[in-house]
Amino acid sequence: MKYPELIYFGSIAENLAQFDCIIDVRSPAEFAEDHIPGAINCPVLSNEERIQVGTMYKQVGSFEAKRLGAGLVAMNIGRHLATQFQQQGKSWRPLIYCWRGGNRSGSMAFIFSKIGWPVAQLQGGYKAYRQHVNLSISELANAAQWKVLCGTTGSGKSRLLNTLTSLGEQVLDLEQLAQHRGSVLGDIPTEKQPSQKMFESRIWNVLKNADHERTIYVEAESKKVGNLRVPETIMSKIRESPCISISMPMSERVNLLMEDYAHFVQDPQQLNQQLNFLSHLHGNEKINFWKKQALDGNIANVVQSLLEEHYDPAYTKSIARNFSKFNQAQQISQASLSNADFELSAKKIISHG
Protein backbone atom coordinates (compact mmCIF):
# COMPACT_ATOMS: atom_id res chain seq x y z
CA MET A 1 0.00 0.00 0.00
CA LYS A 2 1.37 3.42 -0.96
CA TYR A 3 1.71 5.96 1.86
CA PRO A 4 2.89 9.59 1.88
CA GLU A 5 6.54 10.27 2.59
CA LEU A 6 7.02 11.85 6.03
CA ILE A 7 9.33 14.86 5.93
CA TYR A 8 10.95 16.74 8.83
CA PHE A 9 11.02 20.49 8.29
CA GLY A 10 14.63 20.83 9.38
CA SER A 11 15.70 18.55 6.55
CA ILE A 12 14.03 20.66 3.84
CA ALA A 13 14.17 24.21 5.24
CA GLU A 14 16.87 25.27 2.80
CA ASN A 15 15.25 23.56 -0.18
CA LEU A 16 11.51 24.13 -0.13
CA ALA A 17 11.74 24.64 -3.89
CA GLN A 18 12.03 20.87 -4.36
CA PHE A 19 8.23 20.75 -4.01
CA ASP A 20 5.93 21.90 -6.79
CA CYS A 21 3.41 23.15 -4.24
CA ILE A 22 3.25 23.64 -0.46
CA ILE A 23 -0.31 23.07 0.75
CA ASP A 24 -1.54 24.34 4.12
CA VAL A 25 -4.77 22.48 4.90
CA ARG A 26 -5.53 24.40 8.10
CA SER A 27 -8.51 26.74 8.34
CA PRO A 28 -8.33 30.16 6.66
CA ALA A 29 -8.03 31.86 10.07
CA GLU A 30 -5.01 29.75 11.01
CA PHE A 31 -3.43 30.37 7.62
CA ALA A 32 -3.99 34.13 7.87
CA GLU A 33 -2.14 34.30 11.18
CA ASP A 34 0.97 32.67 9.72
CA HIS A 35 2.08 29.99 7.29
CA ILE A 36 5.17 28.60 5.60
CA PRO A 37 6.32 31.17 3.01
CA GLY A 38 4.99 30.29 -0.42
CA ALA A 39 2.25 27.97 0.85
CA ILE A 40 -1.29 28.05 -0.52
CA ASN A 41 -4.36 27.50 1.65
CA CYS A 42 -6.60 24.55 0.76
CA PRO A 43 -8.50 24.02 4.01
CA VAL A 44 -10.01 20.64 4.73
CA LEU A 45 -12.17 22.33 7.38
CA SER A 46 -13.44 25.90 7.11
CA ASN A 47 -13.30 28.23 10.11
CA GLU A 48 -16.91 27.41 10.95
CA GLU A 49 -16.52 23.65 10.37
CA ARG A 50 -13.46 23.52 12.62
CA ILE A 51 -15.44 25.17 15.43
CA GLN A 52 -18.36 22.83 14.79
CA VAL A 53 -16.18 19.71 15.06
CA GLY A 54 -14.36 21.03 18.13
CA THR A 55 -17.64 21.83 19.87
CA MET A 56 -19.00 18.34 19.15
CA TYR A 57 -15.78 16.81 20.49
CA LYS A 58 -16.23 18.64 23.81
CA GLN A 59 -19.98 18.39 24.19
CA VAL A 60 -20.82 15.02 22.63
CA GLY A 61 -17.76 12.83 22.19
CA SER A 62 -14.67 12.06 20.14
CA PHE A 63 -16.30 9.37 17.97
CA GLU A 64 -19.14 11.63 16.88
CA ALA A 65 -16.74 14.51 16.25
CA LYS A 66 -14.43 12.31 14.15
CA ARG A 67 -17.36 10.99 12.16
CA LEU A 68 -18.58 14.50 11.41
CA GLY A 69 -15.06 15.73 10.70
CA ALA A 70 -14.27 12.85 8.35
CA GLY A 71 -17.29 13.63 6.21
CA LEU A 72 -16.47 17.32 6.01
CA VAL A 73 -12.79 16.66 5.29
CA ALA A 74 -13.62 14.15 2.55
CA MET A 75 -16.06 16.59 0.96
CA ASN A 76 -13.57 19.46 1.03
CA ILE A 77 -10.68 17.37 -0.32
CA GLY A 78 -12.98 16.22 -3.12
CA ARG A 79 -13.77 19.83 -3.97
CA HIS A 80 -10.06 20.76 -4.09
CA LEU A 81 -9.37 17.77 -6.35
CA ALA A 82 -12.15 18.77 -8.69
CA THR A 83 -10.96 22.37 -8.93
CA GLN A 84 -7.53 23.41 -7.66
CA PHE A 85 -5.65 20.22 -8.58
CA GLN A 86 -7.66 18.89 -11.51
CA GLN A 87 -4.94 19.59 -14.08
CA GLN A 88 -1.92 18.30 -12.15
CA GLY A 89 0.08 15.52 -13.80
CA LYS A 90 1.34 12.33 -12.19
CA SER A 91 4.84 13.71 -11.41
CA TRP A 92 3.46 16.70 -9.47
CA ARG A 93 5.07 16.71 -5.98
CA PRO A 94 3.23 18.56 -3.21
CA LEU A 95 4.16 19.03 0.46
CA ILE A 96 1.12 19.01 2.76
CA TYR A 97 0.91 20.19 6.36
CA CYS A 98 -1.60 21.04 9.09
CA TRP A 99 -1.19 22.16 12.71
CA ARG A 100 0.64 19.12 14.09
CA GLY A 101 0.96 16.77 11.13
CA GLY A 102 -2.11 14.79 12.16
CA ASN A 103 -5.46 13.88 10.66
CA ARG A 104 -6.08 16.94 8.52
CA SER A 105 -2.87 16.79 6.50
CA GLY A 106 -2.74 13.00 6.81
CA SER A 107 -6.14 12.62 5.15
CA MET A 108 -5.25 14.73 2.14
CA ALA A 109 -1.77 13.24 1.85
CA PHE A 110 -3.12 9.68 1.94
CA ILE A 111 -5.70 10.37 -0.77
CA PHE A 112 -3.09 12.11 -2.92
CA SER A 113 -0.73 9.15 -2.52
CA LYS A 114 -3.47 6.73 -3.60
CA ILE A 115 -4.00 8.82 -6.72
CA GLY A 116 -0.32 8.29 -7.46
CA TRP A 117 1.25 11.66 -6.71
CA PRO A 118 4.67 11.56 -4.94
CA VAL A 119 3.27 13.48 -2.00
CA ALA A 120 5.10 14.39 1.22
CA GLN A 121 3.52 15.14 4.61
CA LEU A 122 5.27 17.48 7.06
CA GLN A 123 6.01 15.60 10.26
CA GLY A 124 4.91 17.78 13.19
CA GLY A 125 3.13 20.19 10.85
CA TYR A 126 3.10 23.95 11.31
CA LYS A 127 4.16 23.52 14.94
CA ALA A 128 7.43 21.92 13.80
CA TYR A 129 7.93 24.75 11.30
CA ARG A 130 7.49 27.36 14.06
CA GLN A 131 10.00 25.57 16.28
CA HIS A 132 12.50 25.64 13.42
CA VAL A 133 11.92 29.36 12.81
CA ASN A 134 12.35 30.19 16.50
CA LEU A 135 15.63 28.29 16.67
CA SER A 136 17.12 29.26 13.35
CA ILE A 137 16.45 33.03 13.35
CA SER A 138 19.12 33.44 16.01
CA GLU A 139 21.56 31.25 14.09
CA LEU A 140 20.91 33.11 10.84
CA ALA A 141 21.21 36.52 12.51
CA ASN A 142 24.52 35.58 14.12
CA ALA A 143 25.90 34.24 10.84
CA ALA A 144 25.01 37.37 8.86
CA GLN A 145 27.31 40.30 8.08
CA TRP A 146 25.27 43.39 8.90
CA LYS A 147 25.58 47.05 7.98
CA VAL A 148 23.12 49.47 9.53
CA LEU A 149 21.66 52.55 7.86
CA CYS A 150 21.29 55.23 10.52
CA GLY A 151 19.83 58.68 10.10
CA THR A 152 17.19 61.03 11.39
CA THR A 153 13.53 60.62 10.44
CA GLY A 154 12.97 61.57 6.81
CA SER A 155 16.59 61.17 5.73
CA GLY A 156 15.67 58.55 3.14
CA LYS A 157 16.83 55.33 4.78
CA SER A 158 13.95 53.24 3.45
CA ARG A 159 14.33 54.61 -0.06
CA LEU A 160 18.04 53.93 0.13
CA LEU A 161 17.34 50.33 1.11
CA ASN A 162 15.10 50.04 -1.96
CA THR A 163 17.87 51.47 -4.13
CA LEU A 164 20.40 49.01 -2.70
CA THR A 165 17.97 46.20 -3.50
CA SER A 166 17.62 47.43 -7.10
CA LEU A 167 21.40 47.33 -7.42
CA GLY A 168 21.50 43.68 -6.37
CA GLU A 169 22.42 44.13 -2.71
CA GLN A 170 20.92 42.12 0.16
CA VAL A 171 18.46 43.99 2.36
CA LEU A 172 16.34 43.20 5.40
CA ASP A 173 13.64 45.88 5.31
CA LEU A 174 11.95 45.46 8.70
CA GLU A 175 9.45 48.27 8.11
CA GLN A 176 8.33 46.76 4.83
CA LEU A 177 7.97 43.32 6.41
CA ALA A 178 6.06 44.82 9.35
CA GLN A 179 3.89 47.01 7.11
CA HIS A 180 4.61 50.03 9.30
CA ARG A 181 6.90 53.04 9.10
CA GLY A 182 8.26 52.56 12.57
CA SER A 183 7.11 55.64 14.48
CA VAL A 184 4.07 56.84 16.39
CA LEU A 185 2.82 58.29 13.09
CA GLY A 186 3.86 55.23 11.11
CA ASP A 187 0.57 53.38 10.59
CA ILE A 188 -0.14 52.75 6.91
CA PRO A 189 -3.90 53.25 6.44
CA THR A 190 -4.20 50.84 3.51
CA GLU A 191 -2.31 48.02 5.23
CA LYS A 192 -2.86 46.01 8.40
CA GLN A 193 0.21 44.82 10.26
CA PRO A 194 0.82 41.06 10.10
CA SER A 195 0.80 38.90 13.20
CA GLN A 196 3.99 38.58 15.23
CA LYS A 197 4.42 35.05 13.90
CA MET A 198 3.98 36.17 10.30
CA PHE A 199 6.52 38.96 10.84
CA GLU A 200 9.04 36.44 12.11
CA SER A 201 8.30 34.11 9.19
CA ARG A 202 9.00 36.93 6.75
CA ILE A 203 12.29 37.73 8.49
CA TRP A 204 13.29 34.06 8.51
CA ASN A 205 12.50 33.73 4.83
CA VAL A 206 14.76 36.66 3.94
CA LEU A 207 17.63 35.47 6.11
CA LYS A 208 17.51 31.83 5.02
CA ASN A 209 17.79 32.91 1.37
CA ALA A 210 20.63 35.33 2.01
CA ASP A 211 24.28 34.72 1.14
CA HIS A 212 26.02 35.15 4.48
CA GLU A 213 29.33 35.79 2.77
CA ARG A 214 27.87 39.12 1.62
CA THR A 215 26.60 42.14 3.54
CA ILE A 216 22.96 42.44 4.56
CA TYR A 217 21.83 46.07 4.87
CA VAL A 218 19.23 46.95 7.48
CA GLU A 219 17.77 50.17 8.85
CA ALA A 220 18.37 51.18 12.46
CA GLU A 221 15.13 50.40 14.29
CA SER A 222 13.81 50.42 17.80
CA LYS A 223 12.80 47.14 19.41
CA LYS A 224 9.27 47.47 18.05
CA VAL A 225 8.02 48.36 14.59
CA GLY A 226 4.47 49.42 15.26
CA ASN A 227 2.99 46.63 17.36
CA LEU A 228 5.58 44.04 16.33
CA ARG A 229 8.75 43.07 18.18
CA VAL A 230 11.99 42.68 16.28
CA PRO A 231 13.60 39.36 17.34
CA GLU A 232 16.05 40.01 20.16
CA THR A 233 19.05 38.40 18.45
CA ILE A 234 18.61 40.60 15.38
CA MET A 235 18.39 43.72 17.53
CA SER A 236 21.57 42.74 19.36
CA LYS A 237 23.47 42.04 16.15
CA ILE A 238 22.52 45.20 14.31
CA ARG A 239 23.24 47.37 17.34
CA GLU A 240 26.80 46.09 17.44
CA SER A 241 27.40 46.21 13.67
CA PRO A 242 29.09 48.86 11.47
CA CYS A 243 26.92 51.91 10.77
CA ILE A 244 26.30 54.18 7.81
CA SER A 245 25.06 57.64 8.76
CA ILE A 246 22.65 59.23 6.26
CA SER A 247 21.98 62.98 6.29
CA MET A 248 19.71 65.15 4.14
CA PRO A 249 18.82 68.86 4.15
CA MET A 250 15.82 69.71 6.32
CA SER A 251 13.78 71.01 3.38
CA GLU A 252 14.21 67.69 1.53
CA ARG A 253 13.36 65.69 4.65
CA VAL A 254 10.09 67.62 4.95
CA ASN A 255 9.35 66.98 1.28
CA LEU A 256 10.05 63.27 1.67
CA LEU A 257 7.73 62.95 4.66
CA MET A 258 5.01 64.91 2.87
CA GLU A 259 5.24 62.34 0.07
CA ASP A 260 5.40 59.28 2.31
CA TYR A 261 2.61 60.49 4.58
CA ALA A 262 0.35 61.87 1.85
CA HIS A 263 -2.70 60.50 3.70
CA PHE A 264 -2.05 63.03 6.48
CA VAL A 265 -1.77 65.85 3.94
CA GLN A 266 -5.07 64.80 2.37
CA ASP A 267 -6.81 64.32 5.73
CA PRO A 268 -5.23 66.44 8.49
CA GLN A 269 -7.73 65.06 10.97
CA GLN A 270 -5.91 61.70 10.79
CA LEU A 271 -2.67 63.46 11.68
CA ASN A 272 -4.30 65.26 14.57
CA GLN A 273 -5.60 62.01 16.00
CA GLN A 274 -2.06 60.60 15.99
CA LEU A 275 -0.62 63.77 17.52
CA ASN A 276 -2.62 63.00 20.66
CA PHE A 277 -0.10 60.22 21.40
CA LEU A 278 2.61 62.88 21.83
CA SER A 279 0.71 65.07 24.31
CA HIS A 280 2.44 63.50 27.33
CA LEU A 281 5.79 64.55 25.86
CA HIS A 282 5.02 68.01 24.51
CA GLY A 283 1.96 69.16 26.45
CA ASN A 284 -1.53 70.01 25.25
CA GLU A 285 -0.65 73.60 24.32
CA LYS A 286 1.99 72.54 21.78
CA ILE A 287 -0.13 69.68 20.44
CA ASN A 288 -3.14 71.96 19.97
CA PHE A 289 -0.92 74.48 18.15
CA TRP A 290 0.28 71.76 15.75
CA LYS A 291 -3.28 70.57 15.25
CA LYS A 292 -4.44 74.09 14.31
CA GLN A 293 -1.57 74.48 11.86
CA ALA A 294 -2.49 71.15 10.25
CA LEU A 295 -6.13 72.13 9.87
CA ASP A 296 -5.07 75.50 8.43
CA GLY A 297 -3.12 73.71 5.70
CA ASN A 298 0.34 74.36 7.15
CA ILE A 299 1.30 70.71 7.42
CA ALA A 300 4.85 71.35 6.15
CA ASN A 301 5.39 73.62 9.18
CA VAL A 302 4.02 70.90 11.46
CA VAL A 303 6.34 68.32 9.90
CA GLN A 304 9.41 70.52 10.36
CA SER A 305 8.47 71.30 13.97
CA LEU A 306 7.97 67.60 14.70
CA LEU A 307 11.39 66.84 13.24
CA GLU A 308 13.17 69.60 15.13
CA GLU A 309 11.38 69.26 18.46
CA HIS A 310 10.48 65.57 18.66
CA TYR A 311 12.16 63.19 16.25
CA ASP A 312 15.66 64.65 16.00
CA PRO A 313 16.28 64.98 19.77
CA ALA A 314 14.96 61.45 20.33
CA TYR A 315 17.18 60.10 17.55
CA THR A 316 20.30 61.80 18.91
CA LYS A 317 19.79 60.25 22.33
CA SER A 318 18.90 56.81 21.04
CA ILE A 319 21.56 56.36 18.37
CA ALA A 320 24.50 57.15 20.64
CA ARG A 321 23.13 54.93 23.41
CA ASN A 322 22.18 51.89 21.34
CA PHE A 323 24.55 51.64 18.36
CA SER A 324 28.06 51.03 19.60
CA LYS A 325 29.85 51.71 16.29
CA PHE A 326 27.98 54.83 15.29
CA ASN A 327 30.99 57.05 16.05
CA GLN A 328 32.91 55.27 13.29
CA ALA A 329 30.04 55.42 10.78
CA GLN A 330 30.55 56.04 7.08
CA GLN A 331 29.03 59.44 6.30
CA ILE A 332 26.60 59.77 3.38
CA SER A 333 25.13 63.15 2.45
CA GLN A 334 21.96 62.61 0.43
CA ALA A 335 21.49 65.77 -1.58
CA SER A 336 17.91 65.40 -2.79
CA LEU A 337 15.00 63.04 -3.37
CA SER A 338 15.98 62.30 -6.96
CA ASN A 339 16.54 58.70 -8.02
CA ALA A 340 19.95 59.70 -9.34
CA ASP A 341 21.05 60.98 -5.92
CA PHE A 342 19.78 57.85 -4.15
CA GLU A 343 21.67 55.70 -6.65
CA LEU A 344 24.82 57.78 -6.13
CA SER A 345 24.54 57.32 -2.35
CA ALA A 346 23.94 53.58 -2.72
CA LYS A 347 27.01 53.19 -4.94
CA LYS A 348 29.13 55.07 -2.38
CA ILE A 349 27.91 52.66 0.31
CA ILE A 350 28.64 49.60 -1.83
CA SER A 351 32.10 50.79 -2.89
CA HIS A 352 33.06 51.52 0.72
CA GLY A 353 33.09 47.76 1.30
Side-chain angles (χ1 to χ4, degrees):
M1 183 177 290
K2 188 178 181 66
Y3 286 96
E5 179 184 359
L6 290 177
I7 299 283
Y8 290 90
F9 190 81
S11 67
I12 60 166
E14 303 305 317
N15 192 23
L16 290 173
Q18 67 182 281
F19 300 101
D20 297 313
C21 187
I22 303 173
I23 304 172
D24 186 325
V25 303
R26 297 175 303 154
S27 67
E30 292 172 287
F31 182 83
E33 182 184 19
D34 185 33
H35 52 265
I36 295 175
I40 64 171
N41 189 209
C42 296
V44 296
L45 291 174
S46 68
N47 296 332
E48 296 75 18
E49 289 166 346
R50 182 168 174 254
I51 293 171
Q52 183 183 4
V53 172
T55 301
M56 180 169 284
Y57 185 92
K58 292 178 181 178
Q59 296 182 356
V60 181
S62 62
F63 173 79
E64 290 80 4
K66 289 178 181 178
R67 183 177 59 196
L68 171 64
L72 294 170
V73 166
M75 179 179 64
N76 289 325
I77 292 174
R79 187 181 71 256
H80 294 313
L81 283 169
T83 55
Q84 184 93 2
F85 308 120
Q86 182 62 32
Q87 303 302 318
Q88 300 298 344
K90 64 187 300 183
S91 63
W92 179 65
R93 177 165 167 76
L95 171 67
I96 301 175
Y97 72 94
C98 61
W99 167 240
R100 286 184 297 189
N103 291 335
R104 286 187 286 176
S105 59
S107 298
M108 181 179 278
F110 180 73
I111 291 173
F112 279 20
S113 70
K114 297 304 291 179
I115 291 170
W117 284 318
V119 59
Q121 181 186 2
L122 184 61
Q123 181 77 12
Y126 170 80
K127 188 175 181 180
Y129 159 73
R130 275 299 302 173
Q131 290 171 343
H132 179 86
V133 168
N134 289 335
L135 291 172
S136 63
I137 276 185
S138 293
E139 296 172 0
L140 292 168
N142 286 323
Q145 299 181 48
W146 300 96
K147 283 196 176 179
V148 189
L149 270 59
C150 305
T152 50
T153 299
S155 58
K157 299 183 294 296
S158 294
R159 294 193 188 189
L160 199 45
L161 285 181
N162 290 336
T163 306
L164 287 164
T165 300
S166 72
L167 294 175
E169 297 301 306
Q170 300 186 129
V171 162
L172 179 67
D173 190 337
L174 292 168
E175 292 186 2
Q176 182 187 61
L177 300 180
Q179 295 170 213
H180 195 278
R181 292 198 176 97
S183 71
V184 71
L185 304 179
D187 285 334
I188 303 174
T190 57
E191 299 182 24
K192 179 183 177 182
Q193 284 201 272
S195 69
Q196 180 67 34
K197 291 178 180 178
M198 178 71 80
F199 181 49
E200 292 167 6
S201 282
R202 292 174 176 181
I203 292 172
W204 171 81
N205 194 43
V206 171
L207 295 184
K208 83 173 180 67
N209 289 310
D211 178 357
H212 289 170
E213 297 301 313
R214 298 172 54 216
T215 297
I216 300 177
Y217 294 96
V218 65
E219 183 178 340
E221 296 286 356
S222 60
K223 292 182 178 180
K224 294 187 73 175
V225 184
N227 294 319
L228 302 176
R229 300 182 310 278
V230 178
E232 187 174 334
T233 307
I234 292 178
M235 284 305 306
S236 297
K237 290 299 295 183
I238 66 175
R239 285 183 168 185
E240 66 186 35
S241 294
C243 296
I244 301 160
S245 180
I246 315 298
S247 61
M248 186 185 287
M250 175 61 76
S251 60
E252 292 296 272
R253 292 171 61 198
V254 171
N255 290 336
L256 182 148
L257 292 173
M258 294 281 282
E259 290 181 7
D260 284 356
Y261 293 85
H263 53 284
F264 287 148
V265 178
Q266 295 163 6
D267 184 4
Q269 200 60 249
Q270 284 191 55
L271 173 61
N272 287 353
Q273 288 174 5
Q274 293 300 109
L275 288 175
N276 289 328
F277 292 107
L278 300 179
S279 59
H280 68 289
L281 295 172
H282 298 281
N284 289 331
E285 183 177 350
K286 176 59 66 69
I287 296 299
N288 288 333
F289 174 70
W290 284 339
K291 286 181 177 181
K292 184 177 185 305
Q293 281 197 311
L295 292 175
D296 289 343
N298 298 319
I299 291 186
N301 293 339
V302 177
V303 170
Q304 183 163 338
S305 294
L306 283 168
L307 290 174
E308 292 173 340
E309 300 179 46
H310 176 72
Y311 285 107
D312 288 3
Y315 168 81
T316 301
K317 292 178 182 178
S318 174
I319 201 73
R321 181 175 67 248
N322 293 313
F323 291 84
S324 60
K325 296 186 178 180
F326 180 72
N327 289 337
Q328 295 85 43
Q330 177 190 4
Q331 302 295 318
I332 297 291
S333 296
Q334 175 72 28
S336 74
L337 303 185
S338 73
N339 292 336
D341 279 334
F342 275 109
E343 187 167 327
L344 181 61
S345 295
K347 287 180 177 178
K348 287 179 181 178
I349 290 171
I350 295 168
S351 64
H352 191 266

